[in-house]
Amino acid sequence: KIPAEWYSYQTWVNTNIPDLIIGIVKGTFFGIVVVMVACYQGLRTPGGTDAVGQAIKTSVVSSALIIVVMNLFLSLALNFFFPLQLRNF
């Protein structure tokens, strides 16, 4: 078991501002993708309970695939602006 104090200390010491910025930017973009895909699928659902279930499934699968691809490009772009800084241990 890891002590909570040790975990908190290590998190505080090893997290820097670029890590937080990258997390906030990626989370915002992923949230926007999920909302846009869900709205699109919901608005083009023809009707009936079966169609709603199919639209939900399509929305979840589409969002997951778009997020995987978007994560690749966001990682490349954000690593250009915030290059990896190796720490000496």
Side-chain angles (χ1 to χ4, degrees):
K1 184 176 176 183
I2 299 174
E5 297 83 15
W6 182 85
Y7 179 80
S8 297
Y9 174 75
Q10 292 298 323
T11 301
W12 182 258
V13 169
N14 293 307
T15 302
N16 52 23
I17 298 299
D19 293 335
L20 296 175
I21 292 171
I22 289 170
I24 290 170
V25 169
K26 280 185 171 185
T28 302
F29 276 102
F30 296 159
I32 290 169
V33 165
V34 169
V35 169
M36 296 297 288
V37 170
C39 287
Y40 175 76
Q41 290 296 329
L43 290 174
R44 63 183 286 267
T45 302
T49 56
D50 291 336
V52 171
Q54 184 65 30
I56 292 171
K57 183 173 68 172
T58 304
S59 173
V60 170
V61 171
S62 299
S63 295
L65 291 174
I66 292 170
I67 286 174
V68 167
V69 173
M70 188 178 224
N71 188 34
L72 169 71
F73 292 112
L74 278 174
S75 294
L76 291 172
L78 291 172
N79 282 329
F80 178 76
F81 292 109
F82 301 104
L84 180 65
Q85 298 172 354
L86 298 176
R87 298 181 182 104
N88 295 329
F89 292 102

